[in-house]
Amino acid sequence: RPKLPQYNSIDDAVKLLREAKNIIVLTGAGISTSLGIPDFRSKDTGLYSKLAHLGLSDPQEVFDIHVFREDPSIFFSIAKDILPTEKKFSPTHGFIKLLQDKGKLLTNYTQNIDNIEANAGVLPENIVQCHGSFATATCVKCQHKVNGDAIFNEIKEGIIPECTVCRKRIAEEGLKPQGLKRKRSTNGQQKDRKEFEDSSDEDDYEIPTPGVMKPDITFFGEDLPDEFGQRLIHRDRELADLVIVIGTSLKVAPVAEVPGILPRNVPQIYISRTPVSHTGFDIDMLGDCDVVVSELCRRAGWDLQHQMIPVD
Ligand code: OAD
Ligand code: ZN
């Protein structure tokens, strides 16, 4: 994407901020690290650098839907570490709320699953949680949905949460053979009941187990919520007059493709510690995002609120 030549300095960014009416803010894990929540890919401090003990060929497998279906214990061994807890928020979350208060926030597309935008007072109608969240969870077998906090205690204790609806159904059907699902025999035919009841081989039938409750965060191999594409393509792409990307490495599609599909004449600002090379922004402000947004607000004459719990 060729750079728009008229934008270069911090003051150009301030001018854009002051004049914009419909800002897309695209965020990633970097906006929460000042609160003590690790990002994913930072060397040494990112979550993926701390997962060697799991023995995965790629640490991203903790969020792989196929791995989860095979062995949910891998995800639940780290889930407690990424569960949203206190009601804190960083200056950068405060900045997004400030844009909302000024009537400038079109949409905050967040890849974060920590729900901290809500702590800052960003309204649900202004947020698209591109990678879902812990707000709800769904049974992998019967699709029964619960509020996320219904399984928080189990997650905190490192227990794999199971579906209560599945469990109840199994209890009602009992462990009688007629309640068991017959496995297909090797030639693909179901055994008839006679053969089944006569069989002494335990492997001939499955002991029914309740489904695992999976938090509704978007795993690799799963689709993003429909709202993401709907809102971006059918609404925001037309309306946006400024794009601010903050604290994301833009390594994960399709979110990584957002800057590229927006009209060329809409200016794009990038705020992060690490530059990206695969897409061109008009203004790059490299550094701590809390510091950068504070300086932008100072120059704009805006009062930035935040509520940090110091990281120890
Ligand atoms: P990454 O860890 O890939 O990128 C975070 C970026 O923020 C990096 O460029 C850091 O340098 C930068 N950063 C960290 N702290 C910062 C700070 N205080 N100020 C400024 N910049 C800072 O995280 P994401 O891009 O969010 O998906 O990762 C995208 C997705 O990959 C996640 O949503 C997650 C992950 O796999 C799922 O779990 C499904
Ligand atoms: Zn179920």
Side-chain angles (χ1 to χ4, degrees):
R1 181 182 175 275
K3 206 170 126 35
L4 298 171
Q6 62 272 46
Y7 307 111
N8 296 293
S9 66
I10 299 180
D11 286 324
D12 291 335
V14 174
K15 186 162 181 285
L16 284 169
L17 271 177
R18 294 181 61 103
E19 288 171 1
K21 294 189 174 65
N22 287 310
I23 304 176
I24 289 182
V25 181
L26 173 60
T27 47
I31 73 164
S32 298
T33 55
S34 64
L35 301 170
I37 301 168
D39 64 11
F40 294 92
R41 294 177 184 79
S42 284
K43 208 170 156 285
D44 303 329
T45 55
L47 180 70
Y48 293 148
S49 75
K50 298 188 191 302
L51 299 181
H53 65 279
L54 294 177
L56 302 166
S57 55
D58 174 354
Q60 296 186 83
E61 286 177 5
V62 286
F63 298 110
D64 186 304
I65 191 60
H66 308 288
V67 173
F68 184 88
R69 290 196 188 115
E70 201 62 33
D71 182 3
S73 74
I74 296 172
F75 167 74
F76 284 109
S77 74
I78 64 109
K80 56 180 172 306
D81 302 326
I82 56 170
L83 209 55
T85 46
E86 302 113 292
K87 294 271 169 219
K88 53 192 177 178
F89 62 91
S90 73
T92 305
H93 297 95
F95 173 69
I96 300 166
K97 165 70 159 53
L98 186 67
L99 296 179
Q100 170 180 284
D101 292 346
K102 296 195 176 291
K104 291 172 181 288
L105 180 64
L106 181 60
T107 303
N108 177 197
Y109 290 89
T110 179
Q111 299 165 88
N112 298 347
I113 52 179
D114 56 24
N115 275 326
I116 293 178
E117 301 84 8
N119 296 351
V122 184
L123 296 169
E125 61 261 37
N126 292 331
I127 303 174
V128 174
Q129 293 186 295
C130 307
H131 292 165
S133 81
F134 279 98
T136 54
T138 306
C139 170
V140 296
K141 276 197 182 156
C142 77
Q143 318 310 322
H144 173 58
K145 222 179 238 310
V146 297
N147 268 334
D149 47 19
I151 60 166
F152 277 11
N153 280 337
E154 284 160 294
I155 292 179
K156 280 181 198 153
E157 287 163 30
I159 298 168
I160 298 177
E162 288 181 346
C163 173
T164 51
V165 170
C166 283
R167 203 182 287 146
K168 187 154 169 281
R169 182 183 49 77
I170 292 165
E172 279 166 8
E173 287 175 1
L175 285 177
K176 294 170 294 198
Q178 55 267 43
L180 302 180
K181 223 196 286 163
R182 271 173 289 174
K183 274 190 181 169
R184 297 205 168 252
S185 66
T186 39
N187 64 7
Q189 301 291 308
Q190 286 215 339
K191 296 189 174 191
D192 65 29
R193 177 162 295 278
K194 179 85 181 67
E195 196 185 340
F196 176 74
E197 283 169 353
D198 288 348
S199 167
S200 57
D201 183 355
E202 295 248 318
D203 286 346
D204 277 359
Y205 51 86
E206 282 178 86
I207 305 290
T209 52
V212 170
M213 298 304 295
K214 178 186 163 293
D216 290 334
I217 58 184
T218 309
F219 278 40
F220 294 107
E222 288 189 304
D223 288 336
L224 273 66
D226 288 343
E227 196 197 4
F228 168 73
Q230 284 297 329
R231 182 154 168 158
L232 182 69
I233 305 299
H234 300 296
R235 199 196 81 166
D236 290 358
R237 191 160 60 167
E238 292 287 309
L239 296 177
D241 55 9
L242 178 62
V243 180
I244 310 177
V245 177
I246 319 177
T248 171
S249 64
L250 289 178
K251 291 245 165 76
V252 177
V255 172
E257 286 149 17
V258 171
I261 64 167
L262 293 166
R264 267 247 302 271
N265 61 322
V266 177
Q268 302 193 0
I269 297 174
Y270 183 67
I271 303 172
S272 185
R273 272 189 197 141
T274 323
V276 287
S277 50
H278 54 286
T279 172
F281 288 92
D282 301 302
I283 304 177
D284 288 294
M285 283 184 273
L286 301 182
D288 184 306
C289 56
D290 291 342
V291 173
V292 173
V293 300
S294 299
E295 179 59 15
L296 288 172
C297 289
R298 195 188 64 77
R299 294 194 191 199
W302 294 348
D303 185 20
L304 180 61
Q305 301 295 314
H306 65 87
Q307 187 181 328
M308 301 261 286
I309 294 174
V311 182
D312 49 28

